[in-house]
Amino acid sequence: MKKYDGLTDEMLALRYIEGDNRAFDELLTRNQQKLYNYIMFVVRDPELANDVFQDTFVKVISKLQEGKYTDSGKFSFWLTRIAHNIIMDVYRQQKGEHIVESGEDNDLSRLRSEDLMDSNREAEYVNTQIMADVRNLMDTLPATQREVVYMRFYQDLSFKEIAETTGVSINTSLGRMRYALINMRRMAKQHKLQLSMEL
């Protein structure tokens, strides 16, 4: 909608609060794909992802109407935080994780690897296979660990931003990443997968 082209998400949210229902339609249009991708990555179930997505926007509407949103310049983080809380509620109800969980006092510094250099066709094939293996291993992680890996490597968020979005301390975010890596390495070893990239 051209009428809203120059407006930020935060401005649209405030307009909706003031009674402009079309502003909310624009907010939904702008954010639905990114939010759904995030939810789907964490829950790995299209039916559950749809439920969480709908619950998220129902909660967003009620929070906006109740005046529980203030323009902090981070509407997308606020939206992701609501979705995260709904997902965690779902998992609390299901309770069934059997993989190592992190404690509160973990510290981890550098987790990002060097950017991959251009490589020949064989190396590209190997790297593609490794990335597919890594993605499959990530799918088996508990939701809290899968979420932090996704936010860090796919959304390129800092650990501070991850902590703010998920409502935990930075150390907890780092700990979840640490245990995600431990679990992925253990599973890679069990399945005899090579996870080091060809340069």
Side-chain angles (χ1 to χ4, degrees), residues 66-94:
E66 292 167 10
K68 292 185 177 174
Y69 173 75
T70 54
D71 180 6
S72 63
K74 294 183 178 180
F75 181 82
S76 62
F77 284 157
W78 184 71
L79 191 62
T80 304
R81 175 78 185 266
I82 291 171
H84 163 80
N85 290 341
I86 291 170
I87 292 167
M88 291 304 106
D89 288 344
V90 168
Y91 282 109
R92 276 187 209 105
Q93 291 169 1
Q94 292 177 351

Side-chain angles (χ1 to χ4, degrees), residues 133-148:
D133 290 341
V134 166
R135 186 83 180 218
N136 289 334
L137 291 175
M138 285 173 61
D139 288 347
T140 65
L141 293 173
T144 54
Q145 293 173 18
R146 191 167 57 242
E147 178 180 48
V148 76

